[in-house]
Amino acid sequence: MAHLLPPLAALGRCHEPGSGLLFGFILLLLAVFTSCTFGAELNSTCREEFAVRLQDGGPGASHLEGRVELCVDGSGWGPVCDDMWSDEDATVVCRQLGISVPGAVAVKNGQFGSGEGDYVLDDVRCAGTEERLIECDAKMTHNCITGEEAGVICPENKTVCTNGDVYLTGGSSPSEGTVQLCYNNQWGTVCDDHWDNSDATVVCRQLGYSSGISRSFAYFGEGTGDILLDDLDCTGSEATLLECAASDTPPDCVHTEDAGVTCLIEPTATATEPSSTPSEMATEHHSTSSDGLSPGAVAAIAVLGSLLLIAAVLATIAIVVIAILIKEGKINYSRNF
């Protein structure tokens, strides 16, 4: 780049007819490059210092779950490392987002993807009573790598419910868990007698997924509340479990028989048991690219590559234009300046 400095410096004192045009052209190129570069940066900027947001949550639940990101210096968002990440930390995040009911769940191991930016906090230790995450004990430096991003699942206000509503508890990701059902304006569980994939699919479709795998014997742990339904017989096309055929007699089950589901993004050709464990399916649900990179990382690399390509093209154009004008004598190029 050193050999470009004399021609560029000569522009400031040359008086040839083409010099003004060249100088304007170079300024235009710089303006385009600056606009592209800083325009990309603005997409990741934030305004409120130490605000939090949730990214890449499951279908229909982006306001309740996702990767925790923190606003730093008003310049951009960054993730939080999951070292020592706990439900108390998740409670504070949910409270900062305006969700103060109990039941926040901490999610670890980058289950909501990697996102962009460097880690902002590490070794977070909240008491659970803080109003904002930045008020908790934490380190501003980290020793974390991709795949250690902290996430949360915030609870809905379930003191009042709508008949037929469902949510999942106890799973390692938002796409799996013990089924909690609202029936007669109270939350409870479903007995696993005759529980099959058609029943699970009704639950999963209601939550925004395409199909489901049934889980029995409190596979994800025991739920809460009364056991509300027994001997369900869904076809898989119903809008809610309450539309399915079920026993008319009170359930004769205990919570060790609570029904659960593992929801799938893509429909399956046959209803078979998945070859992956629940934790593996959670990783697949928040998918990565074929080379192991998360969608956020792939996007960041693509943006960086585009900016580098633009810079190279603009630099090449500037060099060619300057060389042509020097050759034609439109720039008085001298080494003695």
Side-chain angles (χ1 to χ4, degrees), residues 114 270 296:
S114 300
T270 57

Side-chain angles (χ1 to χ4, degrees), residues 237-266:
S237 61
E238 296 85 352
T240 73
L241 289 179
L242 297 186
E243 296 181 7
C244 302
S247 174
D248 294 331
T249 59
D252 57 352
C253 309
V254 294
H255 277 302
T256 55
E257 299 175 81
D258 283 343
V261 298
T262 297
C263 296
L264 306 175
I265 295 294
E266 297 296 332

